Structure formats: structure tokens, C-alpha cells
Amino acid sequence: MIPKEARPGDDTAGLLFYLYGPGKRDEHVNPHMVAAWDPTVPDPARSDDFSIPDLALLLDAPVHALRGRRPPLHVFHVAVRNPPEDRRLTDEEWARVAREMMHAAGIAPHADDQGCRWVAVRHADDHIHIVATRAREDGRQPDTSWSRLRMQEAARGFEVEFGLRRLTHADGTASRWRKPGEAEKAERRGLSESARETLQRAVRDVAAAATSDAEFFARLAAAGLRVKQRIAPDGNVTGYSVAMPGDRNGEQKPIWFSGARLAPDLSLPRVRERWSGPSVNTAVTLADAWRAAAEKVNAAAGQLGAGGLHQGAGDVAALGDLIVAVAVISPHFVRSQMREAAYEFERASRAPAARQMEGQARRLYRESAQLLSTSARAAGRSDTTAALGFLLALVTSVEASRTWHEAQQHHVQARAAGRAGRLLREAVEATAGAAAARTYKPGRKKTTARATGQGLATGAGEHQMVAVVQKAVPAHAQSVLTDPAWPALRARLAEVERAGEDPADVLATVAGRREMTSADSVAEVLTWRLGGWQRQRSATAAAAGKGPSTAPTGGAGGAGPSRKTGAPGPVGRMPADEQRKGPKRPK
């Protein structure tokens, strides 16, 4: 939750007309009042007898009643916004936020009936606007000297209370949020993400894989983006801007975004840092590339942050680029988790410190990204078994980055690395399950009645799956059956049986693929492995012409819904004057 205090103004009515109006591009939807200094104040949007000028007159009354000189800029205006991934707050919750913000700002302290007058207007799902006048009922001026800091502190409290994403204030590492108008424009056009979000994802994909200025700009053009370079008088390129085909303003001109407007690390100088250093020999098979990259990443994990704060900032930045590059070329059945992991690690890759890019870990991460990207383009497909070893090494590096961030007191970045690590562990287990499915030799087929799943929906089915677990993994049965993830595992086993396979045999096969003694939740690990198993078996059946793929897309351990913003995806050419739809993001 971010409260942003605007510059003071002098036109209360004009600001209210804007907030209650359609907006600059019809982005204001259902404008209405959610709270006010006096709960009996009518809402102009819901009253036939009370207008916006009437509300402005009430708000300005204490200003006009001031004796002596009036403040030239008496309008206090603050917008309070949530990130797009947060849940939608109710009007009642936003009302609480508004009252607490006015208390924190010194405009209307709690239990002070002489405070300033204010109203909170909501015209979008993710934010409110609070308008106040800087004149107390007793004729004094409010003390707002610490308003910004105190409102930020109040926002941190609401993030905990409402279960919102925990943010920190002003460490300079956050990506630019999309504006409400951008999201609403995308929705009107039937797109799943705004132009800014699509551009940010596409540019990050290209920056992670490019090795020079020429390749960077060529890849941007090949991705179907409009590209404009900023050239200095001496002929050097000093910056760039990108635009989506078909994304135009009211004058029908392309809407350009500079790299720095997309994210702090996408400006041209920061992008160039990625490809400093020698190129690597990429004339190897993809399987050999996965294995060589795993060795490099394991070595880098031990070196991450060893050179101090600034070198550590460069190390985590290079690790973030590696995850982005790998998400594009990873095996198809874990690509969703890899894109999610790349999105989550994006914030962890931006440490609040100047970064040095010549460190040993940074070099190893960069070499791995170049090696895998080039080899994958030549091979055209991923090797599941070889990729598993690399993913295990990547988990080790992400855990090393989380530990480093915690040591540096980078709490937001440490939490982001933790979320990415969990998604990578899921990808590891799904890959292990898929590898097991590729070499599986099925025993006797289940009977027709069992294959159709008859009788599995009730307690008899649950009892049957308990017996399956006790037979397949007797050493872990007790912990699995009491684990909160057991219902998800039971559902996966039922799906395996409905597919005509022996759930006990399959469960024993995936359980024996890798050790599970170090797992926090054996039930969750087995669920993830079965998800990879199912996707591999469905893909194999589809390739053999036995029918369409029926791999599950939801539930624990499945591919799951992909994010609406930030998550990297393959960059391909877009049709002219037509914006590509991006992956959806869960609320």
C-alpha cells in the first residue's frame, strides 16, 4: 500500500469534479464517496439534492472563515494505492484507511473534533483519493510536517492487517506500477495486461539474452516492438524507448516508454552492464549446456556476495537475468513455475546499492545464461534429465541470495528470493516426476471400473488412497497422512487412477526418483512430482496420437494460472498494430 501526497492546490471544486468525472480516458468507474470527516455528509454521486459544488463549499468553509491571511494553497490531496496483485479492498476497508491516513498526516487526528474537513473518493478497485482543506475548525493550521513518513508507517500496518503485499518505502528498487488508466484501457481492448507490463516483460527477456547493443536492439525489433534510439551529437546511443504496435494516444501517436520508466534496471546503462565481459563457447549440445551451466551455478552460489555489498548487488542482478533466460527455454511442463519464479525474483535481483558487475559469481551466472540461450536456440527443445541437475543448482543459488539479502537487512528482497525459491523447488520436483514418467514401465492395467474412477468421490475413495500411500511410501505414510497437503495429494492420486494407472505403483516410482528426507512437506513434494508425471504422460500420449493432452492445469503442484504482469515469457513477433496478450496474473 502506497500513499502518495500530491502537490498542494487551490481549487477544491476543480479537483472534486475531476475525481467524480470520467477521467482523462474514461478510466474512472463508479466514482463515489467512501468516507468523510462527518459521516452525515451526502455523496454527490448518490444524491439528487447535493452537488459537487455543495461539497466543495462545505470543505472550504473553514478556509473562508479564517481570520487574516488565508493559505494560498489550501487543498491537501493524497492518493492511496495498492499493487495490482493485492486483493480488492471493500469500501468499508478503504474508509478505515482514509481515516487512519488523515490521522497520521495530522489533518484530522482521532478524537479531535476541531480537525480539518476531508472526503475520500473511490473511482477504481485499487485506490482512493483523499481531499482535505488545510484549515481546522478552530481556525488554526494543521501540522503536516511529517505527513509523508507517518502515512507510510500507517500503510505498513494495513499491509499486515489486510494481508497485503509487504512493501518498503523508497529503497529505489521497485518497478513502476501501471496506472489505473493503463489497466482499464487494456481491459477495454480485451488484453490481459497493460502495454507497460507487456513491454517490461519483453525488454527484460531480451536484455537477459543479448550480448551487445546491436543484438539488444535487433532482438527488440524481432519481438515486434517499436524501438526508438536516443543518439547524442557525437553519434553514441545514450538511451532508448519502446512502444507497443497499436498503442496510441488521443492524437494517434505511439505511446513511448523509456527503459528507465519500465524498471530501474532497464535503462540502457544498466542493460549494458549485463553483457560486459568475454563471450563463452556455446558450440555444445543442449544436454551438455545444462550440465555445464549447473557446474557454473553451483560454483557461483558459493561466491555470491563474497566481494562485499556492491559486488553482491551485481551478483543477484546477474542471477535474476539467468532465471529470466532459463524461464524461456525451460521444459514446457515447468515453464509456468519458472516464469513465476522469474517474476518473484525480479525484486530480489535489485538490491538497494550500487552494483559492481565484474565479480566471479556474476561472471558465472552470465556465462550460464549465454550458454543456455544459444544452445536452446540451436537445439529447439529441452532435455528433462539434464535440466533437473541445473534446476537443483539454481535452487542453491537462490537460497544463497536469500541468505545474503537477510545479512544485508534487505527484507523485501529476502522475502522475494524466498518466494522464488519455493517455486523453483516445485519446478525441481515436477521435473523429477516427468523424468520418472519417461522411463516408467507400467504394470498390469487397472480394470475398466477402476479406470473410470467409479466410487472414488466419497469416503471409500479416501480410505483406498490411504492404503495406496501406506503401500507405496511406508516410511513416510504417517507424516503424509497428517500433512495439510494430503488432500491435494489424494486428489492427484485419484487423477492417476482415473487415467488407468496403478496409483501405488506410480507413487512409489516418483517417490524413489529423489530423496525426500530433507523436504519440509513430503506430501507437497509428492504432489509436485505427480503433477510433472501427469503432464509428461499426457504429452507422450498426445505425441503418440492417443488423444489430446489432458494434463491438469490447476490444483496443487499443477501448472497453475500464470501471472498477469512481470513474469517473463518467450518473445516472438507480434502482428502489426496489434498488442500481444500476456500471461494472466492471479489476484
Side-chain angles (χ1 to χ4, degrees), residues 55-390:
L55 178 59
L57 187 62
L58 275 181
L59 287 168
D60 285 339
V63 178
H64 295 309
L66 288 175
R67 297 179 180 179
R69 185 178 179 181
R70 299 175 183 173
L73 300 173
H74 67 277
V75 180
F76 179 93
H77 175 204
V78 60
V80 187
R81 189 181 308 276
N82 283 339
E85 62 268 24
D86 276 342
R87 69 175 177 86
R88 298 179 181 180
L89 300 187
T90 65
D91 282 355
E92 291 73 20
E93 288 172 324
W94 277 122
R96 283 199 54 220
V97 170
R99 286 190 288 269
E100 191 61 35
M101 291 298 168
M102 290 296 92
H103 169 75
I107 293 291
H110 296 325
D112 183 355
D113 58 2
Q114 298 298 307
C116 302
R117 298 184 177 186
W118 59 271
V119 295
V121 178
R122 181 180 188 180
H123 55 214
D125 290 331
D126 62 353
H127 70 282
I128 58 171
H129 292 263
I130 310 174
V131 181
T133 48
R134 295 174 181 268
R136 290 171 49 86
E137 300 283 1
D138 56 13
R140 295 186 292 115
Q141 295 290 304
D143 179 10
T144 59
S145 53
W146 295 94
S147 59
R148 287 178 172 84
L149 177 60
R150 289 171 177 166
M151 286 191 292
Q152 290 290 343
E153 292 173 349
R156 302 294 80 77
F158 280 118
E159 288 164 2
V160 175
E161 179 181 351
F162 292 158
L164 309 177
R165 186 166 186 176
R166 303 283 293 278
L167 305 177
T168 58
H169 175 53
D171 71 356
T173 65
S175 297
R176 298 292 183 93
W177 288 356
R178 63 180 182 179
K179 298 179 180 179
E182 294 174 359
E184 289 156 10
K185 178 181 179 180
E187 186 175 352
R188 290 196 303 271
R189 298 178 64 186
L191 303 173
S192 59
E193 63 182 359
S194 68
R196 181 196 298 269
E197 294 164 322
T198 301
L199 290 169
Q200 183 191 94
R201 175 169 45 78
V203 172
R204 192 175 299 284
D205 286 354
V206 168
T211 58
S212 66
D213 276 25
E215 184 180 358
F216 176 66
F217 290 116
R219 282 174 172 265
L220 288 178
L225 308 183
R226 298 182 187 274
V227 184
K228 181 169 62 177
Q229 299 180 22
R230 185 170 65 249
I231 302 177
D234 61 2
N236 290 323
V237 179
T238 60
Y240 73 98
S241 297
V242 290
M244 290 297 303
D247 186 35
R248 301 176 183 275
N249 59 19
E251 299 175 352
Q252 294 304 302
K253 295 180 179 180
I255 300 177
W256 296 96
F257 293 85
S258 67
R261 284 184 62 198
L262 296 176
D265 60 334
L266 293 181
S267 66
L268 187 57
R270 298 292 291 272
V271 166
R272 281 171 170 160
E273 292 177 351
R274 289 168 161 87
W275 54 71
S276 60
S279 298
V280 298
N281 178 20
T282 56
V284 295
T285 66
L286 183 54
D288 288 339
W290 282 118
R291 284 188 282 270
E295 294 178 2
K296 292 177 182 292
V297 171
N298 270 323
Q303 296 291 325
L304 192 150
L309 174 62
H310 301 301
Q311 195 173 99
D315 293 343
V316 295
L319 177 56
D321 284 337
L322 173 61
I323 299 174
V324 168
V326 172
V328 178
I329 63 172
S330 57
H332 66 90
F333 46 80
V334 295
R335 199 161 290 164
S336 174
Q337 289 94 338
M338 292 302 300
R339 291 176 180 175
E340 290 279 332
Y343 169 81
E344 291 294 354
F345 196 80
E346 180 185 334
R347 186 67 183 274
S349 69
R350 293 194 295 272
R355 61 187 188 179
Q356 296 175 359
M357 301 299 285
E358 69 276 5
Q360 176 73 0
R362 182 266 173 196
R363 181 180 64 80
L364 292 169
Y365 289 138
R366 184 61 188 166
E367 288 177 357
S368 299
Q370 291 182 23
L371 185 63
L372 291 172
S373 295
T374 305
S375 300
R377 287 200 300 272
R381 63 187 296 273
S382 293
D383 185 296
T384 303
T385 304
L388 177 58
F390 173 82

Side-chain angles (χ1 to χ4, degrees), residues 423-465:
L423 288 162
L424 286 173
R425 287 191 293 273
E426 180 180 350
V428 164
E429 301 303 343
T431 303
R438 294 182 66 180
T439 58
Y440 177 64
K441 301 296 184 181
R444 184 173 57 86
K445 288 284 185 179
K446 308 298 291 182
T447 64
T448 304
R450 294 281 295 280
T452 57
Q454 293 178 9
L456 295 179
T458 62
E462 180 177 350
H463 179 73
Q464 175 189 340
M465 292 309 163

